[in-house]
Amino acid sequence: MSAQIQTEYDLFLDSKNLLCPMPIIKLAQAIKKINVGQTILTETTDPGSQYDIAAWARQTGNELLATETQGNVFRFLLRRTK
Amino acid sequence: MDIELEQRVNELVAKRLAEIEIEKAMQDAQRVKRLALVASKGSLDMAYPPLILASTAVSLGWEVGVFFTFYGLDIVNKYKLPKLQVAPIGNPAMPPPISAVPSLQVPNIVGMLPGMTPMATAMMKSWFHRANIPPLQDLIEVTREGGGKLYACTTTMGVMGVNAENLIEGVECRGAAAFLEFAASADVSLFI
C-alpha cells in the first residue's frame, strides 16, 4: 500500500470522532452511493478502524488502495469492486 | 504393467484431489458468512454488544440472526427498549472511578440507594452520547435494513407474558429448534 493518498476520489466520508461500529456502518452505506470502479476516501480517528476497515475490505471484496496517517487521523482510499 | 497403471491412477487421483481442494477453498471464500447471536441480557450496557456485532456483520455483507431470549427479549420489546437501564448494585465496575479522582471508589452498596439505577443509566447514556455512539434503535435499524433477522424466543414470550404486538416491527417469533437450524451453518455463533 502506498503511503501517499492521491487527491482524486469520487466520494469523501468523514468518520472522524466516531467509534466502532460507526465508521464501518457508514462506509458500507456510502459505498452503495458510488459506482463499481469509483473510489471513496474516508477519514477516521478510532485506532481500531485501522484494522476494521482493512477487514471490511477483505470481507466485502472491495479494494483498499492506500492508507495513511496524518497526525491522529487515519485516511483510507477504497475502490468499489462489485 | 499393473504397477505402472496403479502409479498413473494414483497420480491422477492426487491431482484431482488437489484441484477439488482449491475449488472448495475458492467456494468457501466466496460464500456469504453467517453470524448467529443469542442476546440474553436486558440491561442497557449488555444490549450494545449483540447490536454492535449484528450491525457490523450486515455491513460486512454477512447473514445475521439474533435470537432474543430471557431478559434479552426486552431489547426488541417496543415498550422496554427505550427504558433499558443499568444498575450499579452488584456490579463492582459501576459506578466507575471519577476521572478527576481515580483512586476514589464509591462503595457498591451506595448503588442500593433509591434513584441510583436511573442515575447510572443517565450517566451511561451521556457517555454514549459524548462518544457519538448511536442509540440502540439505530443499530437495530441498520441490522434490519441490512437483512439481519431478529428472532424473539417464544418460550420467553410465554414465560414473561409478552405478545407479538409488544415487539418492535420486523421481529419474528421462533423457538430454539428454528434458531439452531439457522445457527448450524453459522461461521460465528456467540451467546451474549
Side-chain angles (χ1 to χ4, degrees):
Chain A
M1 268 177 275
S2 74
Q4 203 59 38
I5 291 182
Q6 68 213 50
T7 46
E8 302 93 55
Y9 44 86
D10 296 293
L11 189 66
F12 176 70
L13 174 67
D14 184 3
S15 286
K16 291 194 290 291
N17 302 314
L18 294 179
L19 297 173
C20 163
M22 295 321 290
I24 292 298
I25 290 176
K26 291 182 68 151
L27 181 57
Q29 289 169 344
I31 200 101
K32 291 178 191 153
K33 294 180 190 156
I34 59 171
N35 297 320
V36 171
Q38 287 189 309
T39 56
I40 183 167
L41 179 74
T42 184
E43 291 186 346
T44 67
T45 48
D46 176 12
S49 66
Q50 296 173 86
Y51 306 93
D52 282 352
I53 288 180
W56 176 85
R58 284 191 296 271
Q59 290 296 311
T60 58
N62 290 295
E63 200 177 345
L64 180 56
L65 299 170
T67 61
E68 67 179 1
T69 307
Q70 282 184 349
N72 58 356
V73 177
F74 309 109
R75 307 176 82 215
F76 306 85
L77 184 68
L78 298 119
R79 182 190 285 131
R80 182 171 177 179
T81 54
K82 55 187 175 188
Chain B
M1 186 63 194
D2 276 354
I3 292 165
E4 260 176 46
L5 187 67
E6 196 183 325
Q7 269 180 348
R8 182 84 187 110
V9 167
N10 283 346
E11 275 170 25
L12 286 171
V13 167
K15 187 165 168 266
R16 185 67 195 123
L17 280 176
E19 282 170 5
I20 289 171
E21 228 162 81
I22 291 168
E23 280 166 22
K24 199 172 166 291
M26 283 173 70
Q27 280 170 359
D28 277 352
Q30 282 171 356
R31 191 178 54 84
V32 173
K33 293 199 174 77
R34 178 176 282 193
L35 171 69
L37 296 177
V38 177
S40 69
K41 295 184 180 67
S43 57
L44 179 64
D45 53 334
M46 290 310 288
Y48 270 95
L51 295 177
I52 287 175
L53 289 172
S55 57
T56 301
V58 297
S59 299
L60 296 178
W62 293 17
E63 285 178 357
V64 174
V66 190
F67 190 64
F68 295 91
T69 187
F70 283 82
Y71 298 113
L73 186 66
D74 286 1
I75 301 170
V76 289
N77 182 322
K78 61 182 164 193
Y79 303 106
K80 300 257 180 102
L81 172 62
K83 295 179 188 162
L84 296 183
Q85 293 193 304
V86 56
I89 189 78
N91 180 357
M94 272 291 285
I98 301 152
S99 55
V101 207
S103 58
L104 180 77
Q105 184 70 53
V106 180
N108 192 249
I109 200 160
V110 172
M112 194 189 72
L113 296 173
M116 285 309 284
T117 295
M119 188 199 266
T121 301
M123 191 165 73
M124 182 166 275
K125 281 187 174 172
S126 77
W127 300 337
F128 285 136
H129 182 74
R130 197 179 54 208
N132 290 320
I133 303 284
L136 294 165
Q137 288 90 333
D138 289 12
L139 295 178
I140 291 173
E141 202 47 44
V142 168
T143 304
R144 214 164 26 189
E145 275 178 13
K149 300 282 190 188
L150 307 176
Y151 300 123
C153 166
T154 48
T155 298
T156 308
M157 291 170 71
V159 170
M160 311 266 197
V162 175
N163 58 43
E165 287 80 57
N166 299 143
L167 302 176
I168 60 171
E169 201 194 318
V171 176
E172 297 167 41
C173 304
R174 294 287 187 278
F179 176 73
L180 286 176
E181 188 184 40
F182 175 87
S185 51
D187 299 276
V188 179
S189 31
L190 299 170
F191 182 92
I192 301 174

